[in-house]
Amino acid sequence: LFMRLSIILLFIFTSNIYSQTDLSIKYSKSITSKELKELLYVYSSDYFEGRDTGEKGQKIAVDFLRNYYQKQDIDAAINTENYFQKMILKIRGKDVKTENVVAIIPGAEIPKEYIVISAHLDHVGVKNGQIYNGADDDGSGNVAILEIAEAFQMAVKENNRPKRSIIFLHVTGEEKGLLGSRYYTENPLYPLENTVANLNIDMIGRLDPKRVDKDPNYIYLIGSDKLSNELHEVSEKINRTYTNLILDYTFNADNDPNRFYYRSDHYNFAKKNIPVIFYFNGTHEDYHQPTDTADKINYDILQKRTELIFHTAWELANMPNRIKLNPN
């Protein structure tokens, strides 16, 4: 009898593991290079005028993001004005009205624990009559979140809602000094102590021309082990299981002269002791230039990197216990 019970329990345990793996693979298939391309050609088009914080193009961008979540039937975050977390930022001595866009898929079993997936919705706008489209920076991160949201919502519709809640956070004012993410972490819509991790996406659609290894199947990861070794281990395991990208930690070094760890929106979460991963492809000749356009994006690698982030979020959302912080 004991033997039979052990076999039954083992079967239940392993079938649960496999079912989560199978589900993660199933829903990741909704993330396609074709849809990423269609979304990014719109999001980084001239019509959006470079999405400068507070300007007309940025308002077009937030409307576009909100409309997407409405069409997907994904809820607005609490205490937003129909998805918008409004704020007034002080930029170059002026008060600028702007907003984060925040949507949520509530968890089925542990809804009061949250995974935040973020990207900055703004870019640098128009300079000297030229539009800075910001396709990679950070159009690539925004369309990745939209595709990840669609994948999670597909799971919801098939009664496979994640155990924890997923927050989709598009922040404003990053180019002005990480201002939208700072506003969120100082005025959180959901408790920071219940925020399990922040997966931040800033430039994942291009290749770093400075890499000696010209293999495009890579992604730079920054911050994954700084607050939680367990997060780092989960991330490594997920990559081995699903995507087999080269996870490159070059810019994760404490003495990295680029200091990228301090230069994107995840840093405001890390300052609040929330484990983070920053996904990044490195800079290139079109960084902060009007030539950062949608035709330069490598959509196949954008898809693969987006799949990695989705699988990681799926795992973090469905693990029995939330990841632990490193001891002080």
Side-chain angles (χ1 to χ4, degrees):
L1 180 64
F2 175 75
M3 195 69 185
R4 193 179 300 163
L5 269 175
S6 299
I7 291 166
I8 290 166
L9 285 170
L10 182 66
F11 175 76
I12 289 168
F13 178 69
T14 52
S15 65
N16 185 49
I17 290 173
Y18 283 115
S19 67
Q20 284 300 346
T21 304
D22 293 344
L23 290 173
S24 198
I25 291 169
K26 176 181 181 180
Y27 298 120
S28 73
K29 290 188 189 310
S30 71
I31 298 166
T32 66
S33 58
K34 179 175 179 286
E35 287 183 5
L36 287 161
K37 186 174 186 177
E38 287 168 357
L39 288 165
L40 189 51
Y41 263 84
V42 176
Y43 196 73
S44 63
S45 66
D46 285 356
Y47 182 60
F48 286 61
E49 296 178 358
R51 308 186 302 275
D52 194 6
T53 301
E55 298 294 327
K56 177 185 156 195
Q58 186 250 296
K59 304 302 180 188
I60 294 169
V62 296
D63 283 343
F64 174 83
L65 295 169
R66 173 166 69 185
N67 290 344
Y68 184 90
Y69 288 111
Q70 287 173 328
K71 281 181 187 161
Q72 292 287 339
D73 204 21
I74 296 172
D75 294 343
I78 57 165
N79 298 323
T80 58
E81 292 183 35
N82 195 17
Y83 298 88
F84 292 171
Q85 184 186 28
K86 295 190 174 181
M87 67 195 78
I88 297 173
L89 299 177
K90 187 74 80 176
I91 299 173
R92 296 195 186 112
K94 293 182 183 170
D95 286 344
V96 175
K97 291 181 179 177
T98 185
E99 50 279 302
N100 295 332
V101 180
V102 199
I104 187 168
I105 291 178
E109 294 177 26
I110 320 166
K112 291 188 176 173
E113 289 184 4
Y114 307 94
I115 316 298
V116 176
I117 308 174
S118 62
H120 69 90
L121 62 88
D122 62 307
H123 193 51
V124 296
V126 181
K127 293 180 180 178
N128 302 319
Q130 287 190 294
I131 296 171
Y132 286 62
N133 301 93
D136 192 26
D137 184 16
D138 185 26
S140 61
N142 285 275
V143 299
I145 292 183
L146 297 181
E147 281 286 276
I148 290 167
E150 180 190 48
F152 271 107
Q153 185 66 350
M154 194 176 287
V156 169
K157 287 175 180 169
E158 295 185 359
N159 291 321
N160 289 310
R161 184 181 291 274
K163 290 178 183 174
R164 292 178 180 82
S165 298
I166 312 289
I167 297 169
F168 306 101
L169 173 63
H170 304 258
V171 294
T172 188
E174 189 269 356
E175 301 288 3
K176 311 299 184 190
L178 316 184
L179 300 181
S181 56
R182 187 173 78 190
Y183 187 87
Y184 180 88
T185 56
E186 289 176 355
N187 304 272
L189 300 174
Y190 300 92
L192 295 184
E193 61 269 23
N194 295 339
T195 302
V196 173
N198 168 228
L199 306 181
N200 183 50
I201 315 168
D202 195 351
M203 299 174 58
I204 61 162
R206 294 280 296 268
L207 304 178
D208 181 352
K210 297 179 288 297
R211 284 180 66 83
V212 177
D213 174 4
K214 297 301 179 187
D215 187 341
N217 283 306
Y218 79 91
I219 184 77
Y220 293 118
L221 262 58
I222 301 170
S224 62
D225 62 349
K226 297 215 185 285
L227 293 170
S228 172
N229 288 331
E230 189 179 358
L231 176 60
H232 177 76
E233 287 158 13
V234 166
S235 167
E236 283 275 337
K237 181 189 83 173
I238 290 301
N239 182 56
R240 285 194 304 272
T241 305
Y242 299 104
T243 40
N244 279 311
L245 288 164
I246 299 160
L247 302 185
D248 190 322
Y249 298 99
T250 299
F251 298 124
N252 192 51
D254 288 338
N255 60 354
D256 172 45
N258 297 284
R259 292 176 61 80
F260 288 128
Y261 178 64
Y262 306 95
R263 288 173 53 189
S264 191
D265 294 297
H266 61 278
Y267 185 58
N268 282 315
F269 287 88
K271 283 198 293 189
K272 300 288 188 181
N273 217 28
I274 295 163
V276 300
I277 304 178
F278 171 22
Y279 298 89
F280 180 51
N281 52 217
T283 56
H284 42 74
E285 63 277 10
D286 301 307
Y287 173 66
H288 279 198
Q289 298 299 318
T291 47
D292 181 6
T293 49
D295 57 305
K296 307 264 182 74
I297 298 294
N298 182 324
Y299 289 96
D300 289 338
I301 198 63
L302 175 56
Q303 176 187 323
K304 201 163 186 185
R305 290 164 176 167
T306 304
E307 287 170 356
L308 169 66
I309 300 161
F310 167 74
H311 287 305
T312 305
W314 183 273
E315 178 72 6
L316 292 170
N318 288 297
M319 289 168 67
N321 301 306
R322 67 184 278 179
I323 55 164
K324 291 182 180 65
L325 288 162
N326 296 338
N328 291 329

